[in-house]
Amino acid sequence: MSLRPANTPDLSTPPLELPAGLEPENPLWRFALALWKFPGVQDNCLALQNQGWSLTPVLCAGWLALSGRAFTGVEDATVTEWRERVTGALRAARKSLPAVGGCHQLRTGIAGLELEAEQMELALAWRTLMTNNPEQPDMQGLDTLIRTNLAAAAPASRIDDRAGPLLNALGTALANFPKGDHQP
């Protein structure tokens, strides 16, 4: 029997251990910020997220495709643990608050923390990509590589009918993503 009140969080879980030298301001983060501003990307990504997709693998898949490399879909355990324990918890807290009334400022504050958590999640993913993804170019054409990489980012082995059009739109956005400072 626990003496802890029902609404008190379980603090017995040890804090996450993050690797030294984590780079929050990395090329993957800058790519994500630039891609997010590209027409239609935000809406399509949020729709995928509402269907249970994590955006970190989607962003990794797109970034790797634009650099001519394949994405396996395999994520480091630290990335998934961070997503479950930190990013996901903040997202759940934000979504549980009413969108109107006195909670607006609290929702906005949590949304800012959620964005910071997403940046750290991408920093963890970036570290994995740089460690575990050799810079061997994939010989597929860009469109094929984009489609293959996005499919590898799926949360399940099969992409359902709702996700297909969203992935096609993201693929088109990636194929038309401007060359420049934020491209790999």
Side-chain angles (χ1 to χ4, degrees):
M1 179 164 133
S2 173
L3 298 177
R4 185 170 47 92
N7 293 334
T8 304
D10 180 9
L11 300 177
S12 64
T13 305
L16 287 167
E17 290 189 33
L18 297 178
L22 205 55
E23 299 176 54
E25 293 291 332
N26 60 66
L28 178 60
W29 173 250
R30 290 189 295 275
F31 164 76
L33 291 177
L35 182 65
W36 198 253
K37 294 175 187 173
F38 205 73
V41 168
Q42 181 177 355
D43 292 338
N44 289 311
C45 284
L46 291 175
L48 284 170
Q49 190 174 63
N50 288 335
Q51 293 178 22
W53 288 60
S54 169
L55 295 185
T56 295
V58 170
L59 294 167
C60 290
W63 188 85
L64 286 170
L66 292 181
S67 63
R69 297 186 287 167
F71 178 64
T72 64
V74 177
E75 289 186 292
D76 185 80
T78 307
V79 176
T80 57
E81 185 178 13
W82 179 271
R83 180 180 310 125
E84 290 167 8
R85 288 179 54 186
V86 180
T87 310
L90 288 167
R91 184 170 295 122
R94 177 183 52 81
K95 286 183 170 188
S96 70
L97 294 170
V100 295
C103 290
H104 176 74
Q105 187 174 358
L106 181 57
R107 274 181 66 98
T108 301
I110 293 173
L113 294 174
E114 185 182 347
L115 182 62
E116 288 182 44
E118 289 167 341
Q119 183 178 13
M120 292 301 292
E121 187 176 320
L122 284 173
L124 290 165
W126 168 254
R127 183 178 183 276
T128 302
L129 291 178
M130 294 299 93
T131 305
N132 300 340
N133 246 353
E135 292 204 25
Q136 287 183 313
D138 194 292
M139 300 315 288
Q140 301 179 55
L142 180 61
D143 290 337
T144 302
L145 188 56
I146 289 170
R147 281 194 307 276
T148 303
N149 281 8
L150 289 175
S157 59
R158 184 178 162 296
I159 297 173
D160 67 21
D161 294 337
R162 297 175 305 147
L166 300 170
L167 291 174
N168 288 337
L170 279 177
T172 300
L174 286 165
N176 293 309
F177 193 70
K179 304 238 184 289
D181 293 339
H182 302 295
Q183 183 156 353

